[in-house]
Amino acid sequence: MKRGLGLALSPDYPSGHSTWGWSVGLLLAEAAPDRAEAILARARGYGESRIVCGVHNASSVEAGRKNAENLFAALWSSEAFKADLAAVRAELDATRAKAQAMGTAPEPARCTAEANLIGAPLL
């Protein structure tokens, strides 16, 4: 087997779950910049959960994060992506305003519990 081919064929490297979690996190953080810190902490926690559960090693999770960052950077060259992101922001803003007006916004205590759960980075 050629050197490096083992990694290419490994389901461990890079972590697809970490790639997915960071991709979604980066998109949501861009759509809701006022919540970016909490969103990215959750994306990090999602990737790190793969290590905690023994499914991936740390380098696989880190490679997944880098995959997502590279994908996200490439998407910025697309005018269609920029237009879609603007539409997402508008829809998200409208949904959040409606939830606030109806009194159905998330309970702060639940958000605090989530933040405490993922507050200490594993990596």
Side-chain angles (χ1 to χ4, degrees):
M1 183 181 291
K2 282 185 165 181
R3 184 173 176 90
L5 187 56
L7 286 179
L9 299 175
S10 171
D12 174 61
Y13 190 89
S15 166
H17 285 89
S18 183
T19 300
W20 174 253
W22 274 108
S23 295
V24 171
L26 290 167
L27 287 166
L28 289 174
E30 195 65 38
D34 63 311
R35 302 285 299 144
E37 186 176 335
I39 291 167
L40 293 176
R42 185 64 186 100
R44 178 194 40 75
Y46 180 74
E48 290 177 354
S49 75
R50 308 305 290 165
I51 299 166
V52 171
C53 294
V55 180
H56 291 296
N57 60 51
S59 66
S60 297
V61 169
E62 179 65 12
R65 181 188 62 79
K66 288 181 180 180
N67 275 349
E69 289 174 347
N70 289 332
L71 171 64
F72 197 66
L75 286 172
W76 278 107
S77 66
S78 167
E79 293 304 316
F81 170 77
K82 292 175 188 175
D84 287 346
L85 185 57
V88 167
R89 282 183 184 136
E91 184 176 343
L92 183 57
D93 289 346
T95 300
R96 290 168 82 188
K98 183 178 178 182
Q100 189 70 31
M102 295 178 67
T104 58
E107 298 172 26
R110 293 181 74 188
C111 294
T112 299
E114 173 75 5
N116 290 339
L117 179 66
I118 59 173
L122 182 62
L123 300 176

